[in-house]
Amino acid sequence: MYNDLRITPSILNADHSVLNEEIARISSVSDLIHLDIMDDLFVPNLTWDFAAAEKIIADCPIPIDAHLMIEDVDRISLDYADAGADSVTIHVEAAKSAVTTLRAIRKIGARAGLALKPGTEIDSHADLLNEIDMLLIMTVEPGFGGQKFMKNMMDKVRRSKSLIGDRPIWLQVDGGVSLDTIAIAREAGADTFVAGSAVFNAPEPALMVEMLRQRASDV
Ligand code: DX5
Ligand code: ZN
């Protein structure tokens, strides 16, 4: 399903006690599954440890998009690539040597992603666009699902789109994406959309994924 628009549902707010079933409900309509890894240091929340994440990656029937919100990212991101995550995204605010790490992720064979928190500008990191396959613009402060979409990030999305130019880099938004906000992000130039609570709080998650895709393609 790798077309020019991707829906990557986040399982952060899915029912973790029946995660395989939750993933099975949406996998046929989703492009990748977005896996939020938090260490309670980079963000004030803790999710799966590496052993648990490794199992999720191994069991998942579709590619995994790992979003690493962790301090020790230069080292641990390579473990995620080794474990078979299709895409591994590191935060520029956490990386100590982003270029080396992004190159190492790619060398293992995963797509390399770079994420920016709301307070981080793209211009100061524009050189890193040569090292990545995806740029993630956070539309909430990372840490929790269910927060409000920050419309004021759309200037950054537009700026990023223009800096990306004709490079084949996916432009992802994450946080507060819903039927009310996805078109705004699409209009600004995003092509890859994380949606957590919008999908898993919906009575029919798969239908919601399809509706989000439709809403974005209508733009
Ligand atoms: C937040 C995470 C998001 C989160 C999105 O730090 O990176 O991926 O799960 O959840 P919603 O869509 O509910 O904002
Ligand atoms: Zn995320």
Side-chain angles (χ1 to χ4, degrees):
M1 228 186 282
Y2 286 76
N3 46 24
D4 67 336
L5 190 159
R6 284 154 295 271
I7 309 290
T8 59
S10 159
I11 52 173
L12 182 63
N13 281 8
D15 183 345
H16 293 196
S17 67
V18 286
L19 205 48
N20 286 345
E21 286 87 335
E22 292 280 75
I23 291 174
R25 294 171 84 183
I26 53 161
S27 48
S28 67
V29 291
S30 305
D31 296 276
L32 299 95
I33 296 294
H34 183 86
L35 180 63
D36 288 301
I37 302 299
M38 308 185 186
D39 64 355
D40 205 16
L41 294 167
F42 183 69
V43 289
N45 195 2
L46 186 67
T47 59
W48 299 274
D49 62 14
F50 180 68
E54 212 176 6
K55 194 163 162 22
I56 295 170
I57 295 167
D59 290 348
C60 190
I62 66 169
I64 287 277
D65 168 32
H67 175 198
L68 306 182
M69 289 158 274
I70 57 177
E71 283 292 349
D72 192 8
V73 76
D74 296 276
R75 188 175 61 85
I76 296 178
S77 58
L78 306 188
D79 294 340
Y80 278 84
D82 277 328
D86 192 77
S87 173
V88 179
T89 297
I90 66 170
H91 267 269
V92 70
E93 305 87 359
K96 285 174 194 70
S97 60
V99 173
T100 309
T101 303
L102 292 164
R103 286 183 186 169
I105 291 170
R106 277 178 151 179
K107 193 154 183 230
I108 295 169
R111 299 175 59 89
L114 185 75
L116 307 186
K117 287 166 71 170
T120 306
E121 289 308 326
I122 179 63
D123 281 81
S124 27
H125 303 290
D127 51 328
L128 291 175
L129 292 175
N130 294 319
E131 312 291 342
I132 63 174
D133 302 294
M134 182 167 81
L135 180 67
L136 165 52
I137 305 298
M138 291 302 301
T139 41
V140 297
E141 283 299 338
F144 300 92
Q147 304 183 73
K148 194 171 177 297
F149 179 82
M150 297 169 74
K151 263 190 204 158
N152 59 348
M153 289 298 116
M154 294 308 102
D155 279 348
K156 199 200 290 190
V157 173
R158 273 186 287 272
R159 176 72 182 147
S160 299
K161 176 84 180 155
S162 115
L163 287 171
I164 286 171
D166 57 9
R167 296 176 176 99
I169 297 176
W170 296 352
L171 184 51
Q172 187 178 49
V173 286
D174 180 8
V177 172
S178 70
L179 285 177
D180 293 332
T181 58
I182 194 166
I184 300 168
R186 177 66 171 164
E187 250 159 36
D191 53 41
T192 305
F193 305 88
V194 179
S197 48
V199 169
F200 283 100
N201 290 347
E204 291 185 57
L207 182 60
M208 179 54 70
V209 172
E210 290 181 315
M211 287 164 76
L212 287 166
R213 189 186 301 281
Q214 190 58 53
R215 186 65 57 94
S217 4
D218 284 347
V219 171

